[in-house]
Amino acid sequence: MRVVMWIIRLLLFFLLFGFAVKNDHLVSLHFFFGSSWQTPLVFVILVAFTAGALLGVTATFGSLLRQRREIGRLRRQLDRATRDRPATPVPSAAEVQAPETF
């Protein structure tokens, strides 16, 4: 299984490397106030992908923290409930009567 994963990784690397080599043309990015920047297209794509990934991670980070706080609160509630509850004895098989059948 490890060999298959390494083959897939190498294939993906070579595909992305080929994509980068084929898209080495310069593109002009025009910003505000008349400024512009010329850079290879693959760099622009890489920056856009990285910015999107960071934005996605940042968007999920808030809900992750909220869920962790909720889990901690529920664990504390469970600990308090089990600590405050008196222990109830479990009835033995001899104490439990079988229902009568007609």
XYZ file of all heavy atoms in Angstrom:
820
model
N 0.821 -1.188 0.000
C 0.000 0.000 0.000
C 0.874 1.265 0.000
O 0.505 2.253 -0.613
C -0.922 -0.045 1.225
C -1.940 1.029 1.263
S -3.080 0.798 -0.079
C -4.106 2.197 0.099
N 1.992 1.204 0.727
C 2.891 2.359 0.764
C 3.469 2.659 -0.609
O 3.636 3.821 -0.980
C 4.038 2.112 1.731
C 3.690 2.373 3.142
C 4.938 2.399 3.951
N 4.717 3.286 5.074
C 5.490 3.351 6.109
N 6.555 2.601 6.173
N 5.225 4.167 7.084
N 3.770 1.613 -1.354
C 4.340 1.797 -2.686
C 3.328 2.493 -3.589
O 3.682 3.391 -4.358
C 4.779 0.436 -3.274
C 5.226 0.576 -4.714
C 5.861 -0.190 -2.425
N 2.069 2.108 -3.486
C 1.023 2.726 -4.295
C 0.892 4.206 -3.950
O 0.771 5.057 -4.844
C -0.324 1.986 -4.095
C -1.453 2.713 -4.793
C -0.222 0.553 -4.576
N 0.945 4.546 -2.668
C 0.847 5.952 -2.265
C 2.037 6.755 -2.793
O 1.861 7.894 -3.237
C 0.758 6.069 -0.746
C -0.589 5.653 -0.176
S -1.966 6.560 -0.868
C -1.618 8.198 -0.288
N 3.239 6.190 -2.753
C 4.401 6.902 -3.269
C 4.311 7.078 -4.782
O 4.714 8.109 -5.330
C 5.692 6.186 -2.878
C 6.155 6.601 -1.526
C 6.092 5.876 -0.377
C 6.706 7.869 -1.173
N 6.577 6.606 0.666
C 6.965 7.846 0.211
C 7.004 9.021 -1.880
C 7.506 8.916 0.887
C 7.547 10.099 -1.198
C 7.791 10.037 0.167
N 3.776 6.098 -5.475
C 3.604 6.225 -6.926
C 2.601 7.331 -7.240
O 2.823 8.149 -8.144
C 3.171 4.871 -7.537
C 4.336 3.872 -7.476
C 2.690 5.045 -8.968
C 3.970 2.471 -7.881
N 1.517 7.395 -6.472
C 0.520 8.452 -6.674
C 1.123 9.820 -6.384
O 0.901 10.783 -7.125
C -0.727 8.181 -5.818
C -1.472 6.959 -6.343
C -1.651 9.394 -5.783
C -2.608 6.486 -5.460
N 1.909 9.921 -5.314
C 2.556 11.192 -4.987
C 3.523 11.631 -6.074
O 3.559 12.816 -6.442
C 3.290 11.073 -3.655
C 2.380 11.015 -2.461
C 3.168 10.824 -1.201
N 2.274 10.665 -0.061
C 2.640 10.178 1.098
N 3.893 9.816 1.309
N 1.767 10.056 2.078
N 4.333 10.698 -6.569
C 5.272 11.033 -7.637
C 4.538 11.454 -8.904
O 4.929 12.420 -9.571
C 6.196 9.853 -7.927
C 7.346 9.651 -6.952
C 8.078 8.350 -7.269
C 8.298 10.817 -7.018
N 3.472 10.753 -9.236
C 2.682 11.105 -10.408
C 2.081 12.505 -10.256
O 2.152 13.318 -11.188
C 1.572 10.065 -10.621
C 0.674 10.276 -11.826
C 1.484 10.124 -13.110
C -0.475 9.301 -11.793
N 1.546 12.804 -9.088
C 0.989 14.134 -8.836
C 2.076 15.209 -8.909
O 1.857 16.279 -9.489
C 0.299 14.158 -7.464
C -0.407 15.439 -7.091
C -1.557 15.718 -8.042
C -0.916 15.353 -5.668
N 3.242 14.916 -8.348
C 4.352 15.867 -8.409
C 4.738 16.163 -9.847
O 4.902 17.330 -10.240
C 5.558 15.336 -7.633
C 6.786 16.170 -7.819
C 6.913 17.378 -7.151
C 7.800 15.760 -8.665
C 8.050 18.162 -7.329
C 8.925 16.530 -8.851
C 9.053 17.738 -8.174
N 4.895 15.126 -10.665
C 5.297 15.348 -12.046
C 4.217 16.051 -12.857
O 4.519 16.859 -13.734
C 5.721 14.033 -12.706
C 7.072 13.567 -12.256
C 7.228 12.342 -11.633
C 8.191 14.363 -12.440
C 8.475 11.916 -11.217
C 9.446 13.950 -12.026
C 9.589 12.719 -11.408
N 2.960 15.769 -12.563
C 1.874 16.489 -13.242
C 1.905 17.972 -12.888
O 1.774 18.831 -13.764
C 0.521 15.883 -12.876
C 0.167 14.569 -13.556
C -1.130 14.009 -12.975
C 0.031 14.767 -15.047
N 2.067 18.283 -11.605
C 2.121 19.681 -11.190
C 3.387 20.368 -11.696
O 3.355 21.546 -12.072
C 2.032 19.791 -9.670
C 0.677 19.414 -9.072
C 0.744 19.444 -7.561
C -0.409 20.321 -9.583
N 4.498 19.648 -11.719
C 5.738 20.211 -12.241
C 5.599 20.511 -13.735
O 6.019 21.564 -14.217
C 6.901 19.250 -11.985
C 8.225 19.788 -12.413
C 8.849 20.783 -11.681
C 8.860 19.301 -13.556
C 10.065 21.292 -12.065
C 10.076 19.798 -13.949
C 10.689 20.796 -13.207
N 4.975 19.594 -14.471
C 4.730 19.822 -15.893
C 3.802 21.004 -16.119
O 3.995 21.799 -17.044
N 2.802 21.142 -15.275
C 1.890 22.280 -15.347
C 2.654 23.579 -15.128
O 2.430 24.576 -15.827
C 0.785 22.113 -14.299
C -0.212 23.226 -14.278
C -1.193 23.311 -15.251
C -0.170 24.184 -13.288
C -2.114 24.337 -15.229
C -1.081 25.212 -13.262
C -2.063 25.287 -14.238
N 3.566 23.584 -14.152
C 4.348 24.783 -13.859
C 5.277 25.128 -15.019
O 5.438 26.302 -15.372
C 5.154 24.585 -12.582
N 5.871 24.113 -15.647
C 6.786 24.365 -16.755
C 6.025 24.895 -17.969
O 6.489 25.810 -18.660
C 7.572 23.079 -17.101
C 8.324 23.213 -18.412
C 8.524 22.735 -15.975
N 4.843 24.361 -18.221
C 4.060 24.792 -19.377
C 3.459 26.184 -19.185
O 3.124 26.843 -20.155
C 2.926 23.796 -19.655
C 3.368 22.427 -20.072
C 4.059 22.446 -21.388
C 3.061 22.230 -22.476
N 3.653 22.217 -23.790
N 3.297 26.646 -17.949
C 2.674 27.941 -17.674
C 3.692 28.915 -17.097
O 3.444 29.567 -16.085
C 1.498 27.765 -16.700
C 0.351 27.057 -17.356
O -0.215 27.563 -18.301
N 0.037 25.875 -16.864
N 4.816 29.034 -17.779
C 5.842 29.944 -17.286
C 5.760 31.323 -17.935
O 6.641 32.154 -17.765
C 7.235 29.349 -17.496
C 7.558 29.166 -18.973
O 6.629 29.223 -19.786
O 8.746 28.950 -19.288
N 4.698 31.596 -18.658
C 4.525 32.891 -19.306
C 4.323 33.978 -18.258
O 3.739 33.741 -17.199
C 3.326 32.865 -20.257
C 3.411 31.782 -21.273
N 4.324 31.787 -22.292
C 2.695 30.643 -21.419
C 4.163 30.704 -23.022
N 3.180 29.987 -22.508
N 4.798 35.148 -18.565
C 4.625 36.274 -17.655
C 3.218 36.843 -17.790
O 2.685 36.955 -18.891
C 5.648 37.370 -17.948
C 7.088 37.081 -17.571
C 7.972 38.261 -17.939
C 7.205 36.778 -16.102
N 2.640 37.159 -16.674
C 1.340 37.829 -16.649
C 1.520 39.144 -15.907
O 2.371 39.275 -15.029
C 0.243 36.980 -15.973
C -0.064 35.753 -16.786
C 0.631 36.592 -14.580
N 0.706 40.114 -16.274
C 0.756 41.421 -15.616
C -0.425 41.545 -14.673
O -1.577 41.374 -15.082
C 0.688 42.540 -16.653
O 1.826 42.520 -17.468
N -0.131 41.791 -13.433
C -1.174 42.052 -12.443
C -1.231 43.561 -12.238
O -0.229 44.183 -11.894
C -0.852 41.344 -11.127
C -0.762 39.825 -11.182
C -0.321 39.283 -9.846
C -2.084 39.236 -11.591
N -2.396 44.130 -12.444
C -2.566 45.573 -12.312
C -3.274 45.859 -10.991
O -4.381 45.386 -10.750
C -3.370 46.124 -13.486
C -2.699 45.894 -14.797
N -1.640 46.654 -15.237
C -2.905 44.957 -15.754
C -1.239 46.206 -16.408
N -1.991 45.169 -16.748
N -2.630 46.630 -10.147
C -3.169 46.992 -8.851
C -3.734 48.396 -8.913
O -3.763 49.031 -9.981
C -2.078 46.900 -7.777
C -1.532 45.510 -7.602
C -0.281 45.163 -8.106
C -2.262 44.543 -6.950
C 0.217 43.890 -7.954
C -1.769 43.261 -6.789
C -0.529 42.935 -7.297
N -4.150 48.908 -7.784
C -4.691 50.259 -7.705
C -3.574 51.286 -7.873
O -2.400 51.001 -7.680
C -5.394 50.476 -6.367
C -6.591 49.573 -6.192
C -6.557 48.521 -5.297
C -7.734 49.764 -6.947
C -7.644 47.692 -5.137
C -8.829 48.935 -6.803
C -8.788 47.894 -5.900
N -3.946 52.479 -8.192
C -3.048 53.631 -8.335
C -2.003 53.420 -9.420
O -0.877 53.913 -9.330
C -2.379 53.991 -7.001
C -3.360 54.168 -5.877
C -3.344 53.322 -4.778
C -4.303 55.181 -5.926
C -4.249 53.486 -3.744
C -5.209 55.352 -4.891
C -5.182 54.505 -3.803
N -2.332 52.657 -10.444
C -1.465 52.506 -11.603
C -0.269 51.598 -11.424
O 0.577 51.518 -12.309
N -0.171 50.898 -10.314
C 0.965 50.001 -10.131
C 0.659 48.644 -10.772
O -0.485 48.207 -10.837
C 1.287 49.826 -8.648
O 0.212 49.217 -7.982
N 1.686 48.017 -11.284
C 1.509 46.694 -11.887
C 2.705 45.820 -11.517
O 3.758 46.308 -11.096
C 1.386 46.817 -13.410
O 2.578 47.286 -13.962
N 2.505 44.532 -11.705
C 3.528 43.568 -11.319
C 3.539 42.463 -12.356
O 2.482 41.908 -12.678
C 3.188 43.048 -9.930
C 4.162 42.121 -9.302
C 5.514 42.154 -9.423
C 3.859 41.030 -8.437
N 6.078 41.155 -8.675
C 5.074 40.455 -8.059
C 2.696 40.505 -7.952
C 5.150 39.360 -7.221
C 2.760 39.420 -7.111
C 3.981 38.855 -6.742
N 4.681 42.102 -12.862
C 4.783 41.009 -13.818
C 5.417 39.808 -13.127
O 6.475 39.931 -12.491
C 5.630 41.416 -15.028
C 4.901 42.303 -15.983
C 5.636 42.377 -17.302
O 6.845 42.186 -17.360
N 4.896 42.663 -18.357
N 4.757 38.670 -13.256
C 5.220 37.448 -12.605
C 4.764 36.248 -13.430
O 3.817 36.350 -14.217
C 4.682 37.376 -11.160
O 5.235 36.253 -10.502
C 3.182 37.275 -11.131
N 5.397 35.092 -13.277
C 4.944 33.894 -14.003
C 3.542 33.480 -13.560
O 3.142 33.647 -12.404
C 5.966 32.830 -13.617
C 7.161 33.572 -13.158
C 6.657 34.853 -12.576
N 2.802 32.932 -14.513
C 1.421 32.525 -14.247
C 1.335 31.482 -13.152
O 0.438 31.518 -12.310
C 0.784 31.995 -15.536
C -0.633 31.453 -15.441
C -1.582 32.561 -14.986
C -1.077 30.877 -16.759
N 2.271 30.537 -13.109
C 2.224 29.482 -12.107
C 2.373 30.067 -10.703
O 1.771 29.576 -9.742
C 3.274 28.389 -12.396
C 4.670 28.896 -12.170
C 3.001 27.156 -11.570
N 3.136 31.146 -10.562
C 3.276 31.779 -9.253
C 1.957 32.416 -8.815
O 1.577 32.323 -7.648
C 4.394 32.829 -9.301
C 4.651 33.490 -7.987
C 5.245 32.791 -6.948
C 4.278 34.802 -7.772
C 5.473 33.393 -5.728
C 4.497 35.411 -6.557
C 5.098 34.710 -5.529
N 1.257 33.031 -9.765
C -0.039 33.629 -9.446
C -1.029 32.550 -9.013
O -1.772 32.709 -8.037
C -0.585 34.424 -10.652
C -1.998 34.912 -10.400
C 0.335 35.572 -10.987
N -1.021 31.427 -9.698
C -1.925 30.316 -9.347
C -1.572 29.767 -7.973
O -2.452 29.481 -7.150
C -1.864 29.219 -10.431
C -2.462 29.747 -11.732
C -2.598 27.970 -9.978
C -2.275 28.825 -12.912
N -0.280 29.620 -7.688
C 0.157 29.111 -6.383
C -0.253 30.050 -5.254
O -0.735 29.598 -4.207
C 1.678 28.906 -6.386
C 2.287 28.412 -5.081
C 1.797 27.009 -4.776
C 3.793 28.440 -5.153
N -0.091 31.342 -5.456
C -0.474 32.314 -4.432
C -1.987 32.292 -4.208
O -2.462 32.330 -3.066
C 0.027 33.726 -4.813
C -0.608 34.791 -3.939
C 1.537 33.787 -4.718
N -2.764 32.194 -5.299
C -4.219 32.150 -5.165
C -4.666 30.882 -4.425
O -5.550 30.930 -3.564
C -4.875 32.218 -6.544
N -4.037 29.747 -4.736
C -4.374 28.500 -4.055
C -4.038 28.577 -2.565
O -4.824 28.168 -1.705
C -3.629 27.325 -4.702
C -3.829 26.028 -3.983
C -5.000 25.313 -4.130
C -2.837 25.530 -3.150
C -5.185 24.115 -3.454
C -3.014 24.340 -2.478
C -4.194 23.634 -2.638
N -2.854 29.104 -2.253
C -2.429 29.223 -0.862
C -3.350 30.160 -0.084
O -3.731 29.867 1.057
C -0.980 29.725 -0.791
O -0.155 28.838 -1.553
C -0.479 29.775 0.629
N -3.721 31.279 -0.702
C -4.626 32.221 -0.034
C -5.982 31.575 0.218
O -6.575 31.753 1.293
C -4.779 33.481 -0.878
N -6.487 30.810 -0.728
C -7.765 30.117 -0.542
C -7.699 29.070 0.557
O -8.633 28.933 1.360
N -6.596 28.327 0.606
C -6.440 27.308 1.650
C -6.369 27.960 3.029
O -6.994 27.484 3.985
C -5.192 26.471 1.389
N -5.618 29.050 3.146
C -5.525 29.754 4.432
C -6.872 30.338 4.846
O -7.226 30.299 6.031
C -4.468 30.845 4.364
C -3.025 30.377 4.376
C -2.075 31.557 4.175
C -2.703 29.663 5.671
N -7.611 30.865 3.893
C -8.935 31.401 4.192
C -9.874 30.295 4.670
O -10.638 30.485 5.622
C -9.508 32.100 2.963
C -10.831 32.815 3.146
C -10.657 33.992 4.103
C -11.360 33.286 1.818
N -9.800 29.126 4.046
C -10.635 27.997 4.464
C -10.286 27.506 5.859
O -11.175 27.213 6.666
N -9.010 27.404 6.163
C -8.582 26.974 7.496
C -9.014 27.987 8.540
O -9.495 27.633 9.626
C -7.053 26.750 7.526
C -6.538 26.602 8.940
C -6.692 25.530 6.705
N -8.862 29.266 8.221
C -9.264 30.313 9.156
C -10.770 30.287 9.397
O -11.228 30.492 10.529
C -8.836 31.690 8.613
O -7.439 31.654 8.360
C -9.142 32.791 9.593
N -11.539 30.013 8.360
C -13.000 29.975 8.504
C -13.449 28.820 9.400
O -14.422 28.947 10.145
C -13.654 29.868 7.131
N -12.762 27.689 9.349
C -13.161 26.549 10.171
C -12.585 26.611 11.580
O -13.033 25.880 12.461
C -12.724 25.226 9.523
O -11.312 25.233 9.356
C -13.408 25.024 8.198
N -11.586 27.459 11.792
C -10.931 27.536 13.095
C -11.891 27.994 14.191
O -11.869 27.464 15.301
C -9.729 28.471 13.013
C -8.824 28.397 14.193
C -8.128 27.248 14.476
C -8.675 29.486 15.033
C -7.294 27.168 15.573
C -7.845 29.427 16.124
C -7.144 28.272 16.391
N -12.764 28.941 13.891
C -13.725 29.436 14.885
C -14.694 28.354 15.340
O -14.942 28.189 16.530
N -15.238 27.595 14.390
C -16.161 26.530 14.768
C -15.441 25.411 15.518
O -16.016 24.787 16.410
C -16.878 25.977 13.542
O -15.966 25.359 12.674
N -14.179 25.160 15.183
C -13.409 24.144 15.898
C -13.216 24.532 17.360
O -13.408 23.705 18.262
C -12.050 23.941 15.226
C -11.116 22.942 15.887
C -11.642 21.539 15.680
C -9.724 23.071 15.322
N -12.863 25.786 17.601
C -12.707 26.248 18.983
C -14.029 26.196 19.740
O -14.076 25.816 20.913
C -12.151 27.666 19.000
C -10.687 27.803 18.607
C -10.292 29.268 18.595
C -9.803 27.025 19.534
N -15.120 26.572 19.079
C -16.436 26.538 19.709
C -16.812 25.105 20.093
O -17.328 24.840 21.176
C -17.467 27.142 18.759
C -18.797 27.401 19.365
C -19.747 28.181 18.453
N -19.509 28.015 17.027
C -19.014 28.951 16.228
N -18.680 30.125 16.691
N -18.833 28.721 14.932
N -16.532 24.149 19.209
C -16.829 22.748 19.500
C -15.982 22.233 20.652
O -16.465 21.483 21.507
C -16.598 21.892 18.261
C -17.633 22.079 17.197
C -17.273 21.336 15.922
O -16.192 20.768 15.794
N -18.187 21.350 14.966
N -14.712 22.614 20.716
C -13.851 22.173 21.824
C -14.341 22.720 23.159
O -14.315 22.017 24.170
C -12.409 22.594 21.579
C -11.733 21.754 20.538
C -10.295 22.196 20.369
N -9.666 21.435 19.327
C -8.717 20.534 19.546
N -8.285 20.316 20.749
N -8.196 19.867 18.540
N -14.779 23.990 23.171
C -15.327 24.548 24.410
C -16.594 23.807 24.825
O -16.799 23.517 26.002
C -15.638 26.040 24.218
C -14.452 26.927 24.358
C -14.865 28.380 24.522
N -15.841 28.791 23.541
C -15.595 29.539 22.474
N -14.385 29.978 22.258
N -16.552 29.869 21.632
N -17.444 23.484 23.860
C -18.686 22.765 24.150
C -18.377 21.365 24.693
O -19.010 20.900 25.650
C -19.539 22.673 22.888
C -20.844 21.944 23.062
C -21.875 22.741 23.826
O -21.692 23.946 24.019
O -22.884 22.131 24.241
N -17.415 20.681 24.109
C -17.037 19.348 24.585
C -16.513 19.429 26.007
O -16.858 18.607 26.860
C -16.005 18.715 23.638
C -16.666 18.331 22.324
C -15.342 17.501 24.277
C -15.695 17.897 21.246
N -15.672 20.412 26.307
C -15.156 20.580 27.672
C -16.275 20.862 28.662
O -16.283 20.318 29.771
N -17.226 21.720 28.261
C -18.351 22.034 29.148
C -19.187 20.785 29.408
O -19.586 20.501 30.546
C -19.222 23.124 28.523
C -20.345 23.603 29.430
C -21.217 24.634 28.741
N -21.906 24.102 27.572
C -23.017 23.345 27.620
N -23.543 23.040 28.778
N -23.578 22.918 26.517
N -19.455 19.988 28.374
C -20.260 18.778 28.547
C -19.525 17.733 29.384
O -20.156 17.021 30.171
C -20.634 18.209 27.180
C -21.625 19.043 26.377
C -21.787 18.480 24.975
C -22.961 19.108 27.086
N -18.208 17.636 29.243
C -17.447 16.688 30.069
C -17.494 17.084 31.543
O -17.629 16.222 32.413
C -16.002 16.629 29.606
C -15.814 15.783 28.391
C -14.368 15.598 28.058
N -14.237 14.739 26.889
C -13.245 14.764 26.052
N -12.233 15.590 26.272
N -13.204 13.974 25.025
N -17.365 18.386 31.814
C -17.466 18.844 33.204
C -18.856 18.566 33.760
O -18.997 18.147 34.911
C -17.139 20.330 33.291
C -15.667 20.629 33.158
C -15.350 22.076 33.491
N -16.055 23.027 32.634
C -15.632 23.460 31.453
N -14.478 23.023 30.983
N -16.328 24.331 30.762
N -19.888 18.772 32.957
C -21.253 18.472 33.399
C -21.412 16.993 33.703
O -22.024 16.616 34.705
C -22.256 18.846 32.291
C -23.062 20.052 32.562
C -24.061 20.283 31.424
O -24.058 19.598 30.407
N -24.901 21.260 31.609
N -20.865 16.148 32.852
C -20.960 14.699 33.057
C -20.206 14.288 34.318
O -20.701 13.459 35.103
C -20.411 13.957 31.839
C -20.452 12.437 31.903
C -21.887 11.949 31.975
C -19.737 11.852 30.710
N -19.024 14.847 34.533
C -18.258 14.532 35.746
C -19.027 14.930 36.999
O -19.079 14.176 37.967
C -16.907 15.239 35.728
C -15.954 14.627 34.721
O -16.206 13.479 34.279
O -14.968 15.301 34.367
N -19.631 16.133 36.972
C -20.417 16.570 38.132
C -21.620 15.670 38.350
O -21.948 15.320 39.483
C -20.883 18.017 37.944
C -19.893 19.014 38.468
C -20.461 20.415 38.424
N -19.803 21.075 37.291
C -20.406 21.684 36.285
N -21.695 21.779 36.268
N -19.714 22.210 35.315
N -22.285 15.270 37.275
C -23.481 14.439 37.401
C -23.141 13.056 37.936
O -23.856 12.519 38.773
C -24.185 14.322 36.057
N -22.029 12.478 37.482
C -21.667 11.142 37.965
C -21.116 11.202 39.388
O -21.279 10.256 40.159
C -20.630 10.487 37.044
O -19.501 11.335 36.926
C -21.220 10.203 35.681
N -20.480 12.309 39.760
C -19.930 12.443 41.103
C -21.043 12.680 42.128
O -21.002 12.157 43.231
C -18.935 13.602 41.126
C -18.149 13.700 42.389
C -17.117 14.815 42.328
N -17.717 16.079 41.901
C -17.255 16.842 40.923
N -16.197 16.472 40.256
N -17.847 17.966 40.601
N -22.055 13.454 41.766
C -23.128 13.788 42.697
C -24.194 12.710 42.806
O -24.948 12.680 43.771
C -23.804 15.098 42.269
C -22.844 16.267 42.369
O -21.793 16.128 43.047
O -23.130 17.308 41.747
N -24.284 11.816 41.833
C -25.318 10.792 41.835
C -24.942 9.677 42.803
O -23.818 9.176 42.783
C -25.464 10.219 40.428
C -26.581 9.211 40.292
C -26.606 8.669 38.915
N -25.276 8.099 38.631
C -25.056 7.188 37.716
N -26.019 6.758 36.972
N -23.850 6.711 37.536
N -25.885 9.263 43.662
C -25.588 8.141 44.560
C -25.495 6.838 43.763
O -26.203 6.657 42.785
C -26.769 8.115 45.529
C -27.867 8.798 44.808
C -27.214 9.788 43.894
N -24.629 5.976 44.206
C -24.457 4.700 43.519
C -25.665 3.824 43.773
O -26.054 3.583 44.904
C -23.194 4.005 44.009
N -26.298 3.331 42.725
C -27.455 2.441 42.858
C -26.978 1.024 42.634
O -26.273 0.739 41.659
C -28.547 2.792 41.835
O -27.986 2.739 40.530
C -29.104 4.179 42.088
N -27.340 0.139 43.537
C -26.886 -1.253 43.375
C -27.600 -1.909 42.189
O -28.765 -1.667 41.925
C -27.276 -1.907 44.699
C -28.391 -1.068 45.229
C -28.137 0.320 44.744
N -26.883 -2.734 41.495
C -27.444 -3.472 40.374
C -28.091 -4.731 40.934
O -27.463 -5.482 41.693
C -26.334 -3.838 39.364
C -26.895 -4.676 38.228
C -25.655 -2.590 38.862
N -29.370 -4.990 40.610
C -30.034 -6.191 41.151
C -29.408 -7.460 40.586
O -29.028 -7.518 39.427
C -31.485 -6.039 40.698
C -31.451 -5.077 39.571
C -30.251 -4.217 39.777
N -29.312 -8.458 41.438
C -28.747 -9.733 40.996
C -29.818 -10.530 40.265
O -30.999 -10.211 40.293
C -28.227 -10.523 42.197
O -29.314 -10.888 43.026
N -29.409 -11.620 39.648
C -30.341 -12.440 38.877
C -31.356 -13.109 39.792
O -32.497 -13.366 39.399
C -29.575 -13.480 38.077
N -30.973 -13.401 41.031
C -31.897 -14.052 41.969
C -32.992 -13.078 42.394
O -34.118 -13.492 42.679
C -31.144 -14.555 43.178
N -32.684 -11.803 42.456
C -33.672 -10.817 42.885
C -34.677 -10.492 41.789
O -35.783 -10.056 42.056
C -32.972 -9.525 43.319
C -32.104 -9.696 44.545
C -31.300 -8.456 44.844
O -31.282 -7.533 43.999
O -30.684 -8.397 45.913
N -34.265 -10.667 40.552
C -35.150 -10.361 39.435
C -36.044 -11.561 39.201
O -35.576 -12.677 39.036
C -34.338 -10.053 38.156
C -35.263 -9.796 36.983
C -33.420 -8.868 38.408
N -37.344 -11.326 39.204
C -38.299 -12.413 38.989
C -38.669 -12.474 37.516
O -38.861 -11.435 36.888
C -39.553 -12.203 39.814
C -39.312 -12.275 41.307
C -40.603 -12.039 42.073
O -41.641 -11.766 41.500
N -40.525 -12.152 43.385
N -38.741 -13.680 37.020
C -39.141 -13.873 35.631
C -40.636 -13.641 35.529
O -41.394 -13.999 36.434
C -38.793 -15.262 35.165
N -41.110 -13.031 34.450
C -42.557 -12.820 34.311
C -43.265 -14.143 34.123
O -42.749 -15.091 33.533
C -42.654 -11.932 33.073
C -41.384 -12.142 32.324
C -40.352 -12.511 33.341
N -44.455 -14.193 34.684
C -45.246 -15.419 34.573
C -45.891 -15.480 33.200
O -46.374 -14.483 32.676
C -46.317 -15.449 35.647
C -45.765 -15.528 37.045
C -46.869 -15.586 38.066
O -47.995 -15.949 37.706
O -46.597 -15.247 39.208
N -45.871 -16.650 32.609
C -46.508 -16.832 31.298
C -47.788 -17.596 31.498
O -47.926 -18.472 32.342
C -45.590 -17.625 30.358
O -45.265 -18.859 30.954
C -44.326 -16.826 30.069
N -48.778 -17.309 30.717
C -50.095 -17.967 30.828
C -50.284 -18.957 29.743
O -49.965 -18.947 28.684
C -51.214 -16.919 30.800
C -51.170 -16.024 31.999
C -50.683 -14.724 31.906
C -51.651 -16.462 33.225
C -50.672 -13.889 32.988
C -51.626 -15.608 34.302
C -51.152 -14.325 34.194
